[in-house]
């Protein structure tokens, strides 16, 4: 992929980027306190939150802006010191449970100051806004808690996890405001005061040349890094996979004829290459969408074929 086409693709990504885009989401929520506050009030109405502070967004050029080792889309605290991590998740990476646990661990480390009693620990909330139904049950909101296996008793850990489902079909269980927000995430069509404000602020944001430059810099940097790592992984995987394919081909050749056997062996080798590429790129932290895109660009596999292999590897 040449530099010009890479730039054009990055520019296209900027022009198409909406609220679900990670950087747009982080900018809108972190730079508009009223939106952050109203969103938390909609998601957690029983808490009676009246103020938010210390709102921070993920810094795309550093490891993090909140705690060493953790990269949150949005971090915020309320007037009682309760801590919130708000994440936008567009594609199902099939690892949400472990990701929630990871983010909670970093919040927990800072939920109790030195010398404080455990009863003084502030509650921590990890919120995932998902453009997919992670559990497949159809509920617009999923919450988790720690239960005693041998009974219905609940253990109060101070950790709260909320998974929002923008693909829900029935929103009757949540407020009209939250339903309108989730539908906006799904369709990009604003229908409430909050979502109209978000949409208007995105239009204003898109006129900011500094924001455009930051977005383009990150996008180009990301694409360049992904291309380098993909080629390296592809080369290593291909060498290993095709070696196994040649061996398989010779084996099949003895059974069914040399030409047919080698063809089948090479096909099996390429499949191993793709599986290895998917596993290695995923281990490096790339999303399902990025991995599938990289695989289809460097192999003969279609998006559908690469997706099937990805799901076989990671969907349990």
């Amino acid at each position: 992929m040449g530099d010009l086409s890479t730039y054009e693709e990055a520019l296209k990504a900027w022009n198409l980027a909406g609220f679900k885009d990670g950087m747009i989401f982080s900018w809108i929520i972190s730079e508009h306190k009223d939106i952050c506050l109203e969103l938390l009030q909609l998601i957690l109405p029983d808490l009676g939150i009246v103020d938010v502070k210390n709102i921070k967004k993920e810094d795309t050029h550093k490891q993090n802006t909140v705690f060493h080792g953790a990269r949150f889309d949005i971090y915020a605290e309320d007037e009682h010191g309760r801590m919130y991590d708000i994440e936008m998740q567009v594609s199902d990476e099939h690892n949400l449970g472990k990701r929630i646990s990871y983010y909670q661990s970093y919040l927990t480390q800072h939920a109790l100051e030195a010398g404080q009693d455990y009863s003084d620990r502030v509650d921590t909330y990890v919120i995932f806004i998902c453009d997919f139904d992670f559990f497949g049950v159809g509920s617009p909101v999923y919450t988790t808690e720690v239960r005693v296996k041998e009974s219905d008793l609940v253990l109060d850990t101070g950790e709260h996890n909320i998974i929002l489902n923008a693909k829900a079909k029935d929103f009757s269980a949540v407020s009209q405001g939250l339903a309108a927000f989730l539908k906006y995430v799904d369709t990009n069509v604003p229908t409430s005061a909050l979502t109209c404000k978000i949409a208007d602020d995105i239009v204003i944001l898109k006129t900011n040349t500094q924001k455009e430059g930051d977005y383009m810099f990150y996008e180009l940097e990301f694409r360049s890094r992904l291309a380098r790592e993909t080629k390296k992984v592809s080369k290593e995987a291909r060498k290993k996979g095709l070696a196994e394919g040649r061996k398989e081909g010779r084996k099949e050749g003895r059974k069914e004829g040399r030409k047919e056997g080698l063809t089948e062996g090479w096909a099996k080798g390429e499949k191993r290459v793709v599986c290895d590429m998917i596993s290695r790129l995923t281990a490096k932290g790339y999303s399902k969408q990025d991995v599938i895109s990289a695989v289809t660009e460097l192999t003969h596999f279609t998006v559908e074929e690469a997706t099937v292999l990805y799901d076989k590897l990671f969907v349990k």
Side-chain angles (χ1 to χ4, degrees), residues 221-264:
E221 184 180 56
F222 174 81
R223 289 171 183 269
S224 177
R225 184 173 68 251
L226 176 59
R228 290 195 303 270
E229 293 186 356
T230 299
K231 289 179 181 178
K232 180 181 178 182
V233 167
S234 175
K235 183 178 180 180
E236 294 172 352
R238 189 172 297 277
K239 182 178 180 180
K240 176 182 177 182
L242 293 185
E244 294 178 359
R246 286 194 294 268
K247 181 179 179 181
E248 188 76 28
R250 286 192 291 270
K251 177 182 177 182
E252 296 294 333
R254 287 193 294 269
K255 291 181 179 179
E256 303 172 8
R258 185 69 173 172
K259 184 176 180 180
E260 292 79 3
L262 285 174
T263 299
E264 183 175 343

Side-chain angles (χ1 to χ4, degrees), residues 87-256:
E87 303 285 328
M88 175 63 74
Q89 189 70 25
V90 176
S91 60
D92 188 356
E93 311 297 337
H94 310 291
N95 59 6
L96 203 58
K98 289 183 172 59
R99 288 188 63 192
I100 286 175
S101 175
Y102 177 78
Y103 290 139
Q104 275 286 4
S105 69
Y106 278 97
L107 292 177
T108 299
Q109 289 177 30
H110 298 79
L112 193 68
E113 296 180 2
Q116 284 187 309
D117 186 81
Y118 285 112
S119 61
D120 296 324
R121 179 200 187 280
V122 297
D123 282 10
T124 55
Y125 296 79
V126 172
I127 302 167
F128 269 82
I129 303 168
C130 297
D131 194 29
F132 55 89
D133 188 349
F134 181 72
F135 291 104
V137 179
S139 175
V141 179
Y142 300 106
T143 58
T144 71
E145 58 188 11
V146 178
R147 287 187 173 273
V148 178
K149 186 176 180 180
E150 290 76 15
S151 72
D152 291 330
L153 296 174
V154 177
L155 180 65
D156 181 13
T157 64
E159 298 180 0
H160 308 271
N161 306 307
I162 301 95
I163 303 168
L164 302 178
N165 170 27
K167 298 298 186 185
K169 303 301 182 183
D170 182 3
F171 292 91
S172 60
V174 299
S175 67
Q176 291 183 350
L178 183 55
F181 173 78
L182 291 175
K183 290 176 183 177
Y184 174 65
V185 172
D186 181 32
T187 66
N188 202 39
V189 177
T191 58
S192 65
L194 174 62
T195 55
C196 285
K197 176 171 174 48
I198 292 173
D200 290 343
D201 286 334
I202 291 175
V203 172
I204 296 172
L205 185 152
K206 287 295 191 76
T207 66
N208 188 316
T209 55
Q210 180 63 52
K211 289 285 196 298
E212 179 180 354
D214 289 345
Y215 187 98
M216 292 289 290
F217 177 82
Y218 171 77
E219 191 72 15
L220 289 168
E221 184 180 56
F222 174 81
R223 289 171 183 269
S224 177
R225 184 173 68 251
L226 176 59
R228 290 195 303 270
E229 293 186 356
T230 299
K231 289 179 181 178
K232 180 181 178 182
V233 167
S234 175
K235 183 178 180 180
E236 294 172 352
R238 189 172 297 277
K239 182 178 180 180
K240 176 182 177 182
L242 293 185
E244 294 178 359
R246 286 194 294 268
K247 181 179 179 181
E248 188 76 28
R250 286 192 291 270
K251 177 182 177 182
E252 296 294 333
R254 287 193 294 269
K255 291 181 179 179
E256 303 172 8

